[in-house]
Amino acid sequence: KGNIENLYEEVGDKSKLVLKDDADTTHTLTNLVDTNFLYEREEQFARCSCGAKSQSRHTDVSFFCDLSQSTLPCVPLQQLVQQTLAPEVRERRCEGCGCETATTTTRLVRLPKVLVLYLKRYKYSQSGPAPSRKVTRLVDIPETVNLSRWLVKM
């Protein structure tokens, strides 16, 4: 695995790898998962006390939508995406002021050709007779989902 990663770094494009065999024939290997399903998101953190800001970028092939947060009997998929990408307060320690929380804003940097959405259908609780239950709400799935308001303009 280490040699393959080094080759990818030399080539610079992780979606394809160009190799030569002993007969000096060139072969191109394409990573179909990265090419078709990989997306990139940017998370911006604003500290709640001092207002200091930082950011990080992550790539992933899975986009999780939590059904347990909605109270509607039939939830529109667009609303689930909106909830997933909504600003939220998270635990994140600030080195400067010691603040323990930050408001996180998520934006999409690069969209995949195919976005795989996972519906989280289980709700976990600390109390009660059952520690978890399945969420049985229906999901209204349109032909298209608009992601433009969360897309970073470059």
Side-chain angles (χ1 to χ4, degrees):
K1 182 179 176 181
N3 291 338
I4 294 293
E5 281 297 317
N6 290 338
L7 288 170
Y8 275 131
E9 287 175 15
E10 288 174 14
V11 172
D13 182 2
K14 290 195 176 202
S15 64
K16 65 181 174 180
L17 178 63
V18 179
L19 299 172
K20 287 191 178 183
D21 62 17
D22 294 336
D24 209 30
T25 304
T26 302
H27 302 276
T28 302
L29 304 176
T30 302
N31 183 333
L32 295 176
V33 172
D34 287 354
T35 302
N36 294 300
F37 301 102
L38 193 70
Y39 74 95
E40 185 175 3
R41 71 180 183 276
E42 174 184 84
E43 292 179 333
Q44 295 180 336
F45 305 97
R47 303 306 184 278
C48 293
S49 293
C50 66
K53 294 183 179 184
S54 63
Q55 68 182 29
S56 63
R57 286 191 176 191
H58 308 279
T59 56
D60 204 341
V61 294
S62 304
F63 191 94
F64 293 94
C65 295
D66 191 352
L67 274 168
S68 68
Q69 296 177 5
S70 180
T71 57
L72 298 172
C74 182
V75 185
L77 185 60
Q78 185 72 46
Q79 180 181 335
L80 291 173
V81 170
Q82 184 174 336
Q83 288 173 349
T84 301
L85 296 172
E88 64 180 322
V89 176
R90 291 189 196 166
E91 289 184 19
R92 188 156 176 115
R93 183 167 176 74
C94 178
E95 300 298 325
C97 72
C99 174
E100 297 287 333
T101 58
T103 300
T104 305
T105 305
T106 304
R107 299 179 343 168
L108 301 172
V109 177
R110 182 176 39 132
L111 294 177
K113 292 178 184 174
V114 178
L115 181 62
V116 179
L117 299 170
Y118 290 90
L119 302 178
K120 293 168 64 175
R121 289 191 169 272
Y122 283 90
K123 183 171 185 152
Y124 298 95
S125 67
Q126 301 288 349
S127 60
S132 67
R133 67 175 177 83
K134 185 173 182 178
V135 178
T136 57
R137 287 183 190 90
L138 298 175
V139 177
D140 179 29
I141 301 175
E143 288 207 19
T144 61
V145 175
N146 186 351
L147 300 172
S148 62
R149 69 188 271 198
W150 298 285
L151 196 57
V152 173
K153 310 274 190 287
M154 294 190 158

